Amino acid sequence: RGRPQPKPRLRAHRLVRASGRAAAGAAQPAGTMAPFARNDKTILEIALPALVGGVLALVFTAYTYATLKREPTGKDVGRPLVDKYGAMIKDGAMAFLKEEYKWLSVFVVLLGGILCALFSVEDQHTKLDGVLTTFAFFLGAILSASAGWLGMMVATDGNTRTTAACAGKEVKDSQGKVTGGTGSLNDGLRVAFKAGSVMGFVVVGLGLVGCAGCFCILAMHQGLGKTESLQILAGFGFGASSIALFARVAGGIYTKAADVGADLVGKVEAGIDEDDPHNPAVIADNVGDNVGDVAGMGADLFESYVGSIIAAATLAKRDNEIALPFWLSACGVVAAMIGTMAVSTNEKGEGWNSNLGALMWALEKGTMLAGAIFLGLGAACCHLLGGMWGAYICVLIGLACGMIIGKITEYFTSFDFAPVKSIKARGATGPATVTIQGLGVGMISCVPTIVVLVCAILGCAAIKGEYGVAIAAVGMLATLGITLATDAYGPVADNAGGLAEMDPAIPDEVRCITDSLDALGNTTAATGKGFAIGSAVLTSLSLLAAFKEQAQLDVSLLAVTDPYVLSGMLFGAMLPYMFAALTMISVGKAAAEIIMEVRDQFHNRPDLVAQDGKTTLKDCIIMASNGEPIPPHMDVIPDSNKCVAISTKSSVREMIAPGAYAILAPLFVGFLVGPRCLVGMLAGGIGSGAMVAIMMSNAGGAWDNAKKYISGGFDPDPALRKKDGNGNSTPAHDAAVTGDTVGDPFKDTSGPALNILMKLMAILSLVFAQYFESINGGKGLFKL
């Protein structure tokens, strides 16, 4: 009583779609099709394979975690210092997550209350629309946060075990002299990949169980059909997107603030190694690798994964098309599980001089095996669902698109190829030319990536229309379990290398092994970012198409020359630049605090003294920079907790403005101007965001590996090496470090966060689509 009645046009539209599906099912004579080919599927027939696949992924996660916990730690191989520093990294990571989730829980509760109130004002489907939308939103947010938490916990357990696996137990000769260890590159790779696999499969498992389970709960509610349930299910994706954005932004600010502070003061000013334990920001830097590249990337791809399923099911015109993304995702779980068993290598650890191509094959053969198995299982699904071969070709295009984008990214960011070597060569003329060359490499890397995406979109659209593009995104992300495992492996290997460098008792041979793993991790991290951008573009386009359908927009009103659409496109194209600016500025502010703290500890902290009561931290820094061994009684431990606290506080504080801006922009346009302008805004944001994200991620990765190339001393020109003949840092090395410092927020903060910006704006618009359409007949509060 007192509520306005639902719009007759909306109800009629749903009845037409429902009757159309019934007619499609009735048009095919009974007994002439496979049992699963009929188009009047029950909810369980649609969602049960995904539920089973999700449970399988979670069981595989539990098994993998149990085997990881049985691997030896530093204490088991006589390296207790590795466990000590590893515990500090884990404590810092958990402290950050607790602080971040404390603020996010308040945000989620407030936003959930707003959703409940808005969708309870008018009965779109039933009287419980507000409650059901809020339930879906809370579930998506909780599962996204849980995936980040579990992935972080396992990654920080895996780093110490990876270092221990690389070191192995000491081997001594008859005189008791240590002659080596029992560890190997394959042992370290196996343990690090186990930790990454837990992250990959926990994302897939929670995503499938949550998405399919929520769909079942909604569809079984009285008064809701499949179409209406999918409209409310968009709230699940909105909850996942909200957590993903804040996790990515806060994690990116944290990791790069600590990294920039540690590099500029430690390497450039003091001349010590990257992971020297006397640098107070080193622990925060290693914590940042986990919060940015494990929790952040996991939340990002969790949202892409569920978003692609929701978009494809929403665009479906019949039950078999609704079922296909759920079935394909289940097939991808099985394929990825088998693919993980193929990951291994026979390479020897030769540090940064390793054969990266051979090392990449150790992981690529697993992903290729998973892809091949998935294509076979996917063909079976399409056959069972009535011969959906057009959709199968789109899935094939999506899977191939992801692999090609990964190879393109590897070309522009690996120091085996010309782009990175060109940046290295500019080191001889100073930091300005290094920066210019890196920007040029990043910009030109957009060309092949965008060409591949455009070809994939046009091909899928020609075959199956908007649904083809959506199902291609599902195909690209279907084997996410192993794809994310190879990406999450990177920060685990990076941490393992840092821990090996922090323990002076670990010999150089072990550091060569961890450096080899780190070199491989840098490449997988770069290719993972390219894959994430490609999947974000396809998912965002699919969500945009679903929004256009749910808002019931007349295509004739969406011409590019329409002033409302064009205004929206211009506004949307500006948003990624504004978002990138906010996150870059935030990194600069947070890094400045870290730099001041590190300098203060180096020069103004007489309380930081060794056991002898005389040696200060500054004395240890001087000895370390000169390569002198530091006796235990003269060693000084810096106050690392202070840097961890600064990074945590500043990153959580700085994540609020970009996050609020990303959520308010589409609401502002949708409520005030209407869905027609909002379509233009989303299109402009996707186009602009894709370019900026590719440029930033690839430029940052290229700068990083150019620095690694010079640090490794691979170039025959002595001027392009880390140290000169007198043991001093060369100008080329200092220039490369400057380029890497500029690229840090490019590749690990602003660039990756733009993926979520595109998806968040699209999924939020889909959630509010019918609400926007109901305001003054879709003309917004301004009645334009």
Side-chain angles (χ1 to χ4, degrees):
R1 187 173 57 184
R3 299 176 187 268
Q5 293 300 312
K7 292 183 138 185
R9 187 162 64 90
L10 293 178
R11 287 293 185 192
H13 172 71
R14 295 191 193 102
L15 289 173
V16 168
R17 287 194 63 184
S19 63
R21 285 183 183 168
Q28 304 179 52
T32 63
M33 64 186 80
F36 293 109
R38 69 183 194 281
N39 271 309
D40 58 340
K41 286 186 166 47
T42 65
I43 300 302
L44 280 181
E45 284 176 325
I46 291 173
L48 185 60
L51 285 170
V52 172
V55 171
L56 273 178
L58 293 176
V59 170
F60 183 77
T61 299
Y63 167 77
T64 305
Y65 181 59
T67 60
L68 177 67
K69 293 291 283 185
R70 289 198 291 269
E71 296 288 344
T73 62
K75 179 184 65 175
D76 299 325
V77 297
R79 312 290 183 189
L81 203 55
V82 168
D83 289 343
K84 174 187 173 183
Y85 287 124
M88 294 171 67
I89 293 171
K90 183 168 187 173
D91 290 345
M94 292 307 167
F96 166 78
L97 279 188
K98 288 176 182 176
E99 184 69 17
E100 181 187 34
Y101 286 1
K102 180 179 72 176
W103 287 95
L104 286 185
S105 61
V106 176
F107 160 78
V108 167
V109 169
L110 289 176
L111 191 54
I114 294 171
L115 284 174
C116 187
L118 285 175
F119 284 92
S120 296
V121 170
E122 180 180 350
D123 295 338
Q124 301 273 355
H125 310 299
T126 71
K127 294 184 181 297
L128 291 177
D129 276 4
V131 174
L132 293 175
T133 303
T134 305
F135 162 73
F137 172 76
F138 281 158
L139 184 61
I142 290 169
L143 292 182
S144 180
S146 300
W149 181 279
L150 292 170
M152 173 84 79
M153 181 180 70
V154 175
T156 50
D157 281 340
N159 54 14
T160 55
R161 288 170 168 80
T162 301
T163 307
C166 292
K169 293 184 178 179
E170 293 180 345
V171 176
K172 300 180 180 180
D173 59 17
S174 56
Q175 282 79 35
K177 182 181 179 181
V178 177
T179 58
T182 59
S184 68
L185 180 65
N186 189 55
D187 291 338
L189 174 68
R190 178 178 50 80
V191 175
F193 187 74
K194 273 186 187 179
S197 297
V198 174
M199 178 77 246
F201 283 93
V202 79
V203 164
V204 169
L206 292 178
L208 274 184
V209 170
C211 189
C214 187
F215 175 60
C216 289
I217 293 170
L218 293 172
M220 288 188 289
H221 187 273
Q222 187 175 6
L224 290 180
K226 300 183 185 77
T227 305
E228 294 80 11
S229 299
L230 287 169
Q231 291 169 3
I232 296 176
L233 186 63
F236 181 90
F238 180 33
S241 290
S242 301
I243 295 297
L245 180 74
F246 287 106
R248 204 38 151 157
V249 170
I253 293 171
Y254 186 112
T255 182
K256 291 304 109 181
D259 195 5
V260 169
D263 282 356
L264 285 183
V265 184
K267 288 199 294 188
V268 177
E269 294 183 8
I272 57 178
D273 290 334
E274 184 168 0
D275 288 303
D276 192 298
H278 300 99
N279 190 332
V282 160
I283 296 297
D285 185 10
N286 282 277
V287 170
D289 290 335
N290 293 287
V291 300
D293 288 337
V294 177
M297 177 63 86
D300 180 355
L301 289 173
F302 179 93
E303 196 281 326
S304 286
Y305 190 66
V306 300
S308 65
I309 296 171
I310 293 169
T314 303
L315 289 168
K317 297 294 188 286
R318 53 197 179 98
D319 283 5
N320 283 357
E321 290 182 348
I322 295 178
L324 185 59
F326 290 100
W327 287 34
L328 288 176
S329 300
C331 293
V333 169
V334 176
M337 287 168 59
I338 298 172
T340 58
M341 301 174 188
V343 173
S344 64
T345 185
N346 293 321
E347 288 293 303
K348 306 297 181 185
E350 298 178 1
W352 292 100
N353 202 27
S354 298
N355 184 342
L356 274 182
L359 285 176
M360 277 298 292
W361 175 243
L363 299 178
E364 284 178 345
K365 61 187 177 184
T367 57
M368 289 181 179
L369 175 62
I373 294 171
F374 168 70
L375 288 177
L377 295 175
C381 287
C382 291
H383 173 71
L384 288 173
L385 291 172
M388 300 175 66
W389 299 115
Y392 179 74
I393 294 174
C394 294
V395 169
L396 178 61
I397 291 173
L399 193 65
C401 180
M403 291 183 176
I404 294 171
I405 289 175
K407 281 297 178 184
I408 292 171
T409 308
E410 181 183 348
Y411 172 76
F412 281 101
T413 58
S414 171
F415 52 61
D416 282 346
F417 302 106
V420 170
K421 290 181 179 179
S422 71
I423 299 173
K424 173 264 302 180
R426 297 298 177 273
T429 52
T433 48
V434 167
T435 305
I436 292 169
Q437 185 72 14
L439 287 172
V441 166
M443 289 176 184
I444 204 168
S445 71
C446 295
V447 177
T449 307
I450 293 300
V451 168
V452 169
L453 283 171
V454 167
C455 291
I457 292 166
L458 291 177
C460 293
I463 296 168
K464 289 289 289 182
E466 293 169 341
Y467 180 79
V469 178
I471 207 67
V474 174
M476 182 184 286
L477 290 160
T479 56
L480 182 64
I482 189 168
T483 307
L484 183 54
T486 60
D487 192 21
Y489 148 89
V492 176
D494 192 0
N495 269 198
L499 290 170
E501 191 170 315
M502 289 182 210
D503 188 349
I506 291 183
D508 291 341
E509 302 83 56
V510 175
R511 293 183 191 177
C512 281
I513 295 175
T514 59
D515 282 349
S516 300
L517 293 176
D518 192 10
L520 176 59
N522 276 340
T523 305
T524 60
T527 55
K529 289 181 176 70
F531 175 84
I533 294 168
S535 64
V537 171
L538 293 183
T539 302
S540 301
L541 283 175
S542 306
L543 291 169
L544 171 57
F547 164 70
K548 183 196 69 176
E549 180 175 301
Q550 293 301 322
Q552 303 172 40
L553 293 171
D554 186 349
V555 178
S556 64
L557 299 176
L558 300 179
V560 177
T561 53
D562 182 274
Y564 301 105
V565 177
L566 184 58
S567 299
M569 289 182 67
L570 291 173
F571 184 75
M574 172 274 297
L575 294 178
Y577 288 92
M578 179 69 174
F579 187 82
L582 289 174
T583 50
M584 292 281 286
I585 291 169
S586 296
V587 170
K589 289 166 61 178
E593 294 182 50
I594 295 289
I595 289 170
M596 297 305 294
E597 174 60 28
V598 175
R599 284 175 177 167
D600 183 62
Q601 291 197 31
F602 279 2
H603 303 290
N604 304 318
R605 289 286 299 273
D607 56 310
L608 295 175
V609 293
Q611 296 176 5
D612 62 6
K614 294 184 291 185
T615 309
T616 64
L617 181 60
K618 184 176 180 179
D619 297 328
C620 289
I621 293 294
I622 294 172
M623 287 189 283
S625 64
N626 292 330
E628 301 174 18
I630 303 174
H633 70 281
M634 296 178 64
D635 207 358
V636 180
I637 303 299
D639 186 4
S640 299
N641 292 332
K642 188 72 178 293
C643 289
V644 170
I646 290 173
S647 290
T648 300
K649 182 180 178 180
S650 59
S651 59
V652 172
R653 180 187 69 233
E654 296 294 334
M655 76 177 179
I656 297 172
Y661 155 81
I663 291 172
L664 292 176
L667 292 177
F668 172 81
V669 173
F671 276 116
L672 296 184
V673 191
R676 189 163 42 139
C677 183
L678 184 54
V679 166
M681 191 205 86
L682 295 176
I686 293 169
S688 172
M691 303 299 171
V692 178
I694 293 168
M695 187 277 290
M696 285 188 148
S697 295
N698 288 346
W703 272 318
D704 184 17
N705 276 331
K707 178 204 69 176
K708 293 277 189 350
Y709 194 97
I710 292 177
S711 298
F714 306 140
D715 200 281
D717 185 353
L720 294 176
R721 295 182 183 175
K722 182 178 180 179
K723 301 282 188 181
D724 60 19
N726 298 321
N728 299 318
S729 179
T730 63
H733 179 254
D734 292 344
V737 170
T738 302
D740 178 40
T741 305
V742 173
D744 276 338
F746 268 49
K747 68 181 175 65
D748 289 322
T749 307
S750 301
L754 289 172
N755 304 338
I756 307 171
L757 175 70
M758 294 186 284
K759 293 178 291 184
L760 175 60
M761 293 194 299
I763 194 76
L764 187 151
S765 301
L766 178 59
V767 170
F768 286 91
Q770 294 189 355
Y771 207 92
F772 293 151
E773 197 273 340
S774 68
I775 300 175
N776 293 322
K779 294 184 177 180
L781 295 176
F782 288 169
K783 298 183 182 181
L784 296 175

